[in-house]
Amino acid sequence: QVQLVESGGGLVQPGGSLRLSCAASGNIDSIVVWGWYRQAPGNQREWVALINGDGETDYYGTAKGRFTISRDNTKNTVYLQMDSLKPEDTAVYYCNGKSFDRDYWGQGTQVTVSS
């Protein structure tokens, strides 16, 4: 089992920045890919950023150039640095860990971009 706890969400003005954190515990060695996803009201959950065990990253189109995913293995924490935020980035953001046989999810953290 793996437990994920997100933090760092909040209200920010357009153009601002936030850093989300995902603290992981449990059998984290089973995780092969870490990711951040988001879900806006009325929309399906969509992936935002991924990082694998080699540190390779990938980003969904609108996140490229604005968001950065990283991982601190010493703290068992995955981060999502979000810059140049836009109102359309408003959503609940979820941390995800993928093992070979299942997905693990956090409870989500709300990000609201509004003036």
Side-chain angles (χ1 to χ4, degrees):
Q1 291 291 321
V2 175
Q3 295 77 43
L4 304 175
V5 179
E6 303 98 332
S7 61
L11 174 64
V12 63
Q13 293 187 342
S17 297
L18 279 176
R19 188 177 80 158
L20 306 182
S21 299
C22 172
S25 60
N27 188 22
I28 58 176
D29 288 342
S30 68
I31 303 301
V32 294
V33 177
W34 297 93
W36 285 95
Y37 290 68
R38 68 186 181 187
Q39 187 168 17
N43 290 355
Q44 291 187 338
R45 191 172 298 187
E46 63 182 13
W47 73 280
V48 175
L50 304 173
I51 185 167
N52 66 13
D54 293 328
E56 298 170 329
T57 59
D58 198 8
Y59 299 92
Y60 182 68
T62 59
K64 290 181 181 179
R66 298 190 299 125
F67 294 2
T68 304
I69 188 171
S70 62
R71 181 182 174 192
D72 186 336
N73 293 330
T74 65
K75 297 181 178 179
N76 294 331
T77 301
V78 180
Y79 301 99
L80 184 67
Q81 176 67 40
M82 304 187 294
D83 299 317
S84 302
L85 283 162
K86 305 176 182 180
E88 51 263 43
D89 294 318
T90 295
V92 178
Y93 283 71
Y94 296 91
C95 180
N96 171 269
K98 295 185 184 295
S99 68
F100 286 111
D101 60 353
R102 64 164 292 179
D103 282 81
Y104 297 93
W105 295 95
Q107 82 288 349
T109 185
Q110 176 70 46
V111 172
T112 302
V113 185
S114 175
S115 55

